[in-house]
Every structure is written in structure tokens, then in C-alpha cells.
Amino acid sequence: MKAIGYHVPGAIDRADALIDIEAAKPVPGPRDLLVRIHAVSVNPVDTKVRAKASPATSEPKILGWDAAGVVEAVGDEVTLFAPGDEVFYAGDINRPGANAEYHVVDERIVGHKPKTLSWAEAAALPLTAITAWELLFDRLRVPYGRTTQTGTLLVVNGAGGVGSILIQLARRLTGLTVIATASRPETIDWVGKMGAHHVIDHRQPLDAELERIGIPQVEFIAGLGGSEGYADVFPRIVAPQGHIALIDDPDTFDIVPLKWKAATISWEVMFARSMYGTPDMIEQHKLLEEVSHLIDSGVLRTTLTETVSPISAANLAKVHQRIESGTAIGKIVLEGF
């Protein structure tokens, strides 16, 4: 099968940073699906792994943790899907990724593709939807579907992939007031379309920006990027007994200043369930099924902003560069081999 991978980690501007390869078609395990890939999305995790992680064997390392495709075959113990089903999922970071014509994935972290979306529109969603869902409902423990919920959620990096779907979830499935950070005219417009009640400029001090809109403290903070730079301001703007959830990779993040507000801080890593085979791993299947239903019901929308074709090393490298530039809005998807 065709695939895209690399032998040596490093910067994306090298000629061999990502290469087109021929790889063996994978064989599904007992609970695996063999999926014929139609579209894949790129997330910051792809660029971080490519920059630092060496292949575990002499074979090239294949990235890709967002996919949409058709089930071609199933393992002996599979009960949730059948050949011919259209699916979308984010996969397991401990296994080869989906930047390939065929991919194997555990059925417990897969959902049925929304019927109303194209392959590209569906591939834009899984990793960010899982991350945003778990951050909001599992880590911050905001009640799902309770629109009488009071309080305010600050989404830092609102125009990114996770922010784009998190804003939608909070606006449409809770009663929270949603504040998103954005700075450029196009990102300000985007987060407004996603449903943010207020937009503040992350290039300015966040406490001053919150004062400007008359909301000096917030009950919930979603730190989706640059958290190390906000470590001094988060303790000032989080409300007493508030909650902060982070997804990025700060070198350090001092939580001691949060003590006197009895504030909680949580990490969200959507790969944790699949990495460790947790007993509740199937919750990701369930939430993707719910996201699919919410999409088809018109409650949520795809966060796709750009489609690139075909799926090739050259095109994938260009998308990696866009993600690393920090200028991408929503999600970029590659479609078709």
C-alpha cells in the first residue's frame, strides 16, 4: 500500500522529512478494524512527533491521528462495526498512523462517520472533538446538556482545531458564557461563527482584556496553547474554586499560586485511554457516536477550513509547515491517494 513516513526525526524543511513509501498492508487484530482511508487531518501532535520521535524499527514511522474511511475487514472479536461501514476516528499514538491507504484501529475508539459530511469534513473532527469533549465534560466536569449551567469558560487559542469544536460544544450543549481569544480579523470572525459570546485579544494581558468586557474572573479556563506564558495570569483570572484544564506542553507550569483560590488544574490527553487500554476506553466510541449524531442533527458543524489533494509526502509536508507556523484556522485535511 501507499503510505507516508520518515526515517529520521527533525525539521520539516529537510528533503526527507516526510517521504512517500510502499508498506505492507496491515492485518487487523481481534478487536481491530481494517479501514481503507479516504481522508486524513493534521494536528500539532503530528508535527511534534515528526520533529522528535525516532522510528522504533528500521521501517519508516507513519504518522496521522485523524481519519475517515470505509471498514474493509474486521477482527474476530469485533461487534460494533461491519465491512462497508463508513467511520471516523483519531487512533492510537502507540500504533502506526493513518497516513496510508489502509489502517488498523481498535473498534472501541471509532465512530460511525456523520452521514451529512464529506470524507474531508469528517476527517477534520475526531481528535479535536474527543479532546474538547473530554476536556469540557470529563476534566472540567461541566454537565453535558444542562443549558441552565451558569459560569464562564475562557478558551485560549479559540481559532485552533480544539478551540473551534470546544466553543461549539460549550455554546450549544451547556449554559456557559464562552469567551475565546483571537487576534487577527479572520480568527476573530471564525470564533464568532463557532459561537463565542465574547472575543478578547491574547496579544494583550488577559486580565486587562477580561476587565474590558466586564468579566474579571472566570470559573473555567481551557489552556489550548502557550500555557507557560499564561502561568502568571491564570491565578489572577480564575475564580475561587475554579478549574483550569491544559492540553499543550509547557516546559514548566507552577501551580502553587493557585492554592489560595482552591483552584483545580487538570491535564487532558485524548490518547490516554488508548495508550493504556483503560477499562473505559469504549467511551471514545460512544462520544464519537454522539458527535456524529449532533453533526447530523445540525447542532455541531465541521471545523474544516481547507482541503488538500492528493495525500502525498509533498502535500503533507506543506500542511505540517502551516501547522507549525501557528497561522492555521480550524482544520486542514488531505483527501485521496
Side-chain angles (χ1 to χ4, degrees):
M1 67 174 182
K2 294 178 181 178
I4 301 161
Y6 67 90
H7 287 284
V8 180
I12 193 61
D13 58 1
R14 299 168 302 130
D16 62 348
L18 292 167
I19 56 175
D20 294 303
I21 61 174
E22 289 289 326
K25 187 176 179 180
V27 177
R31 297 208 66 174
D32 285 341
L33 312 177
L34 175 66
V35 179
R36 178 162 49 89
I37 299 297
H38 282 263
V40 295
S41 181
V42 180
N43 294 282
V45 65
D46 296 67
T47 67
K48 293 173 184 177
V49 172
R50 187 217 71 241
K52 296 181 179 180
S54 297
T57 69
S58 60
E59 296 297 317
K61 187 174 184 65
I62 300 173
L63 305 175
W65 295 286
D66 251 345
V70 177
V71 177
E72 179 154 299
V74 300
D76 294 340
E77 298 177 14
V78 167
T79 61
L80 302 173
F81 299 92
D85 285 352
E86 297 183 350
V87 297
F88 73 145
Y89 60 90
D92 179 348
I93 199 168
N94 283 340
R95 303 180 72 175
N99 291 338
E101 286 186 287
Y102 295 92
H103 185 240
V104 289
V105 60
D106 191 299
E107 65 168 345
R108 291 169 290 181
I109 55 174
V110 176
H112 288 90
K113 169 187 165 291
K115 294 180 175 63
T116 56
L117 296 187
S118 68
W119 294 113
E121 290 170 333
L125 288 167
L127 185 144
T128 53
I130 295 170
T131 301
W133 187 287
E134 291 183 349
L135 183 150
L136 185 61
F137 302 123
D138 296 345
R139 310 299 168 235
L140 296 180
R141 300 181 181 177
V142 175
Y144 171 75
R146 187 188 297 174
T147 55
T148 57
Q149 166 82 27
T150 60
T152 301
L153 168 68
L154 172 64
V155 181
V156 178
N157 191 19
V162 175
S164 298
I165 193 69
L166 176 58
I167 291 169
Q168 294 185 60
L169 291 172
R171 178 62 189 268
R172 294 171 176 85
L173 299 172
T174 79
L176 295 176
T177 297
V178 182
I179 304 170
T181 72
S183 59
R184 294 175 284 147
E186 58 268 33
T187 56
I188 293 170
D189 179 65
W190 175 257
V191 298
K193 289 178 178 177
M194 293 301 100
H197 293 91
H198 305 279
V199 184
I200 64 174
D201 188 348
H202 54 251
R203 295 177 302 183
Q204 305 299 322
L206 294 186
D207 48 356
E209 283 290 281
L210 288 172
E211 289 280 1
R212 178 178 61 81
I213 64 172
I215 307 175
Q217 292 192 328
V218 297
E219 286 76 16
F220 304 101
I221 298 174
L224 310 182
S227 294
E228 189 168 353
Y230 298 114
D232 62 336
V233 71
F234 281 174
R236 296 200 297 272
I237 64 176
V238 70
Q241 302 183 84
H243 200 146
I244 301 168
L246 308 178
I247 69 167
D248 58 339
D249 302 287
D251 290 332
T252 60
F253 191 90
D254 185 4
I255 66 173
V256 173
L258 296 167
K259 173 182 177 179
W260 292 104
K261 284 189 172 177
T264 300
I265 186 160
S266 300
W267 291 100
E268 163 53 24
V269 180
M270 59 78 55
F271 289 120
R273 280 173 160 144
S274 56
M275 284 177 67
Y276 297 102
T278 59
D280 67 346
M281 189 167 148
I282 200 169
E283 291 301 317
Q284 291 194 345
H285 162 73
K286 294 177 182 178
L287 77 82
L288 284 175
E289 293 286 90
E290 182 67 5
V291 167
S292 186
H293 168 72
L294 292 167
I295 290 283
D296 288 339
S297 300
V299 176
L300 302 177
R301 55 169 285 188
T302 183
T303 55
L304 172 71
T305 53
E306 184 178 345
T307 304
V308 179
S309 186
I311 303 171
S312 67
N315 282 337
L316 188 60
K318 291 176 183 177
V319 177
H320 273 233
Q321 289 175 322
R322 285 282 305 283
I323 299 299
E324 290 183 334
S325 74
T327 61
I329 299 173
K331 293 298 294 292
I332 305 174
V333 173
L334 292 90
E335 184 173 25
F337 278 91

